[in-house]
Amino acid sequence: MLAPQRESSVPLQRQLYDAIRRAILEGGLPPGTRLPSSRGLAAEWGLGRNTVVNAFEQLAAEGYLESRIGSGTYVSDSLPEEFLQVQKDEPGPSKVESKGQLPVLSRRVEWYASLQMTPDPESPIPFSPGLPALDAFPVEQWRRIAARQMRRITRSALSYGDPRGLDALRRSLSSYLNTARGVRCDWRQILILSSSQQALDLCARVLLEPGEKVWMEEPGYLGARGALGAAGARLVPIPVDDEGINVEEGIGRAPEARMVYVTPSHHFPLGSMLSLGRRLALLEWASRSGAWILEDDYDSEFRYAGQPLASLQGLDESGRVFYVGTFSKVLFPSLRLGYLVVPEALLDAFTSARALMDGHPPGFTQRILADFIGEGHFSAHIRRMRGLYRRRMKVLVEALREAFPEGPTVAPVDSGMHLVLDLEKEADDRALSRTLGDSRIDAPSLSRYYLADPQRKGLMLGFCGVPSHELKRGTSVLKRVLEEQAFQD
Amino acid sequence: MLAPQRESSVPLQRQLYDAIRRAILEGGLPPGTRLPSSRGLAAEWGLGRNTVVNAFEQLAAEGYLESRIGSGTYVSDSLPEEFLQVQKDEPGPSKVESKGQLPVLSRRVEWYASLQMTPDPESPIPFSPGLPALDAFPVEQWRRIAARQMRRITRSALSYGDPRGLDALRRSLSSYLNTARGVRCDWRQILILSSSQQALDLCARVLLEPGEKVWMEEPGYLGARGALGAAGARLVPIPVDDEGINVEEGIGRAPEARMVYVTPSHHFPLGSMLSLGRRLALLEWASRSGAWILEDDYDSEFRYAGQPLASLQGLDESGRVFYVGTFSKVLFPSLRLGYLVVPEALLDAFTSARALMDGHPPGFTQRILADFIGEGHFSAHIRRMRGLYRRRMKVLVEALREAFPEGPTVAPVDSGMHLVLDLEKEADDRALSRTLGDSRIDAPSLSRYYLADPQRKGLMLGFCGVPSHELKRGTSVLKRVLEEQAFQD
């Protein structure tokens, strides 16, 4: 057996335990072997006798040793020798799947991996679309509310919670959604989730069977594609134009689809609004055919002319629309709270499924947010951000026009958190986006969001997450890279 | 059109917007109708002209109205009249699915609903199993760390995070798992999740295809049954005895199973430990047949004699074991953090899937917890709770022995957070549990946890979540209910 390592940080009792355990597992001490007495071993190792007894007791509790009254301590007789062979190879610090033999996983895995959704964990860079102005978040107000909630900790605040979310938060949110987003719902229809991603995942799991068809906006959001595809849905790309998703085309291609995923207020990534005529046509089709509508209202709060546009959900009379929202854009992403408004008839089904996905949302975060909304900070923050983002958008438009006087054309947008820089149809916007990434510029290509062949090429440029000087700096890097590219062609 | 309601809390501009919108949707104002001038309407309603203009502009932006230069404002000509019919019925405050017509949902829904997992959101009552002593949580230390983390808010702390979790937390946790739980892993193999439930769900989705067989401990944990069944697995109940799951029986019933779910340290709900011989047999079978082992180590920290038992994962040499843990039992449930240790070869697959389920774990909670572990509060809290729970367990055993001198037999347990009160094989433990629920006593029946016919009857009595006097009070209610029951028989 090994000698004790006195200079090691591992306690001696643990060293003794490890040494005996390993000797048994590797066959050095076969089943039935009698161990030296604890007294003898203590003397040999220079340990207190209690240390040895404790190690023996732990090994006995775990089944390695057994003591026979009046006779001493033995390696358990019942250990199956044939299985001890398996343990003989000394493992590395972390184990690896035996090489050459690929593990068999579910089909979902390839699908998930194909989307490459792992976000960059680094600090913000120009022009990450969808990243809010974290430098302008009212940290002080948030901190004050958090401190107050911490002072009020009660036993029930620490305990298990309602899988649907905290009542107080659902009530605050309901009144906001009703007033500001034209959503018509009772507060009990709201489920608090960790993100819009979880809302999409939940809908996919409750509403879809493998093989059922889903209309996807083309181009469209990768997160939705990931969640719906993972449920085994067959995604049918439906083209998007200036009036949003082409409903007639959808009915032509897949009239029997079970679901449609839409971003009606502000199409992701192109930015168009779903026209009123198409909204009505979509609702009529869904109601007639029994299809579900997933309305993802991810950044609709930021409209720079007039009020935000009313939701599609508010027009629905037959309980077909699921309204998905998130706090990642209007507050901050690491908060991890989003929500789903569920048609009343389906509340129980969604609640059971939600509970078996991950229980319920975290207690404190919900309490802080409920107060933040209830005290008016939420609406005030959105108003301030609307002003700030409008200014940043203008800075970016100006910078782009100056950088590219001969085109591409850049027009101000009236809503959302990014604009699209159109490129020629022949451009390799994916390669361009990668090149920009090497210079720490985040500008996803339009091509990335197409399921079929890209019909438009371009770059998505977010203007909210970084201050004006960074937008200008980003623009000059963009200009340099585009010019180098043109030179190479 | 409606007259303005000056006493209403709804702003007049919104009232005007709603009235015109509804009139158009219900056909009162058909497409092409000319609206009164904003000046005229302002006079009629007694409003400022800007109020009317703003309402008109919002309606125009949403596609209800269009203005023709030099001619005025019209209801949009392009609105499809046939779809406007759909809107005619006035909806209630919340919409309902048309009656009699059941919505078609995925097959998962019935499965989820059958488990009735919705937890009681009320405050703790005797004897909720698995509920920790929230009255003994070191709120002050937690608050202090939280306040410090709040003072340090940086932009990157608010931003998107790593889907695998915060490095600092994964490192702290890794060293704890290694030392205290005998888990052998590199910190990079740890994924931070919202709960052990999410860990089970993630494993089910990445590892299983519909129709594949999974060994389930019989009786066994409902949350695991929910997650694995929802992925379409065929659950094969394998009997559990004093040595834990009967591996030989498993190999007999379903040698080709893709996965086994086990609670080796402390079987849920019966409390037995998986013997060393069976551990080795299970690992050998998994390695030979390419099956996965889900080790749920939900409450193993609480062992009342000696150290906690080493994990099964630490014995695994072929990368087949997924180790699942949670902070709900050792800290508090509303925290919503759990974790999964993934074999190295599968890290990428799990990370992609995790990102598309709900992004990443929340920022602050992870930062607070990383400090709480790193500063030693975590280990100290577990030690304190071990002492407290041992005392509470003894109080309950004493109270039960006093209440039932003629049996059922009650023995102290050497680990876990509950004990089992055995009942006769003929007893209707489910009915008994319901009756107890009516008296605000939470004591789940053993029957509930069987997939096939229950082989044992009894009640699960948790002893951690409430103080001694509540354990005594609960015991006298239990005595009364059991005596009434016996009287009725």
Side-chain angles (χ1 to χ4, degrees), chain A residues 261-274:
Chain A
Y261 169 81
V262 279
T263 51
S265 297
H266 184 241
H267 175 258
F268 184 95
L270 300 180
S272 51
M273 177 191 98
L274 187 61

Side-chain angles (χ1 to χ4, degrees), chain B residues 255-333:
Chain B
E256 80 287 18
R258 289 293 295 145
M259 183 187 280
V260 50
Y261 169 82
V262 279
T263 51
S265 297
H266 184 242
H267 174 259
F268 184 95
L270 300 181
S272 50
M273 178 191 98
L274 187 62
S275 71
L276 183 55
R278 289 213 182 143
R279 282 174 193 236
L280 294 169
L282 191 63
L283 289 168
E284 199 274 338
W285 165 74
S287 158
R288 184 164 38 78
S289 68
W292 305 111
I293 299 174
L294 252 61
E295 173 177 25
D296 188 347
D297 213 24
Y298 67 108
D299 71 355
S300 62
E301 281 86 355
F302 303 119
R303 184 152 182 266
Y304 308 119
Q307 298 296 307
L309 302 167
S311 67
L312 179 62
Q313 195 267 6
L315 275 178
D316 174 30
E317 299 294 343
S318 40
R320 312 304 310 176
V321 178
F322 292 81
Y323 180 88
V324 176
T326 175
F327 293 102
S328 293
K329 313 294 183 202
V330 285
L331 295 175
F332 56 94

Side-chain angles (χ1 to χ4, degrees), chain A residues 429-445:
Chain A
D429 55 358
R430 279 172 183 263
L432 193 58
S433 176
R434 275 193 301 273
T435 311
L436 287 164
D438 296 339
S439 305
R440 302 266 308 135
I441 298 289
D442 180 10
S445 66

Side-chain angles (χ1 to χ4, degrees), chain B residues 26-163:
Chain B
E26 291 174 358
L29 287 175
T33 311
R34 185 172 191 280
L35 259 70
S37 70
S38 54
R39 200 178 300 273
L41 211 54
E44 186 188 326
W45 277 50
L47 302 171
R49 191 170 157 232
N50 265 349
T51 308
V52 179
V53 170
N54 287 341
F56 275 21
E57 279 179 356
Q58 183 71 15
L59 287 160
E62 296 186 358
Y64 294 90
L65 300 182
E66 55 195 23
S67 67
R68 301 187 194 155
I69 292 160
S71 164
T73 304
Y74 292 79
V75 177
S76 293
D77 239 345
S78 58
L79 290 182
E81 273 190 87
E82 68 276 26
F83 299 153
L84 294 176
Q85 306 294 331
V86 182
Q87 302 287 332
K88 277 204 175 155
D89 302 324
E90 177 70 24
S94 67
K95 290 159 301 173
V96 285
E97 187 74 4
S98 32
K99 284 188 188 75
Q101 183 202 340
L102 266 177
V104 183
L105 306 176
S106 82
R107 277 190 289 268
R108 275 181 208 95
V109 168
E110 263 178 71
W111 178 253
Y112 283 136
S114 72
L115 297 168
Q116 300 181 310
M117 279 279 289
T118 313
D120 188 338
E122 300 287 323
S123 56
I125 53 174
F127 304 92
S128 302
L131 194 71
L134 301 174
D135 48 331
F137 185 75
V139 166
E140 211 31 72
Q141 285 162 356
W142 189 267
R143 195 180 280 155
R144 205 170 27 76
I145 296 175
R148 189 179 60 213
Q149 283 295 350
M150 282 274 168
R151 280 194 302 275
R152 280 192 203 149
I153 290 183
T154 59
R155 203 160 72 160
S156 86
L158 297 171
S159 193
Y160 286 100
D162 191 319

Side-chain angles (χ1 to χ4, degrees), chain A residues 62 106-107 179 209 310, chain B residues 14 62 106-107 205 209 310:
Chain A
E62 296 185 358
S106 81
R107 278 191 288 269
T179 316
E209 281 293 325
Chain B
R14 174 67 183 261
E62 296 186 358
S106 82
R107 277 190 289 268
R205 298 169 76 175
E209 281 294 324

Side-chain angles (χ1 to χ4, degrees), chain B residues 165 182 357 379 423:
Chain B
M357 277 167 70
S379 300
L423 298 173

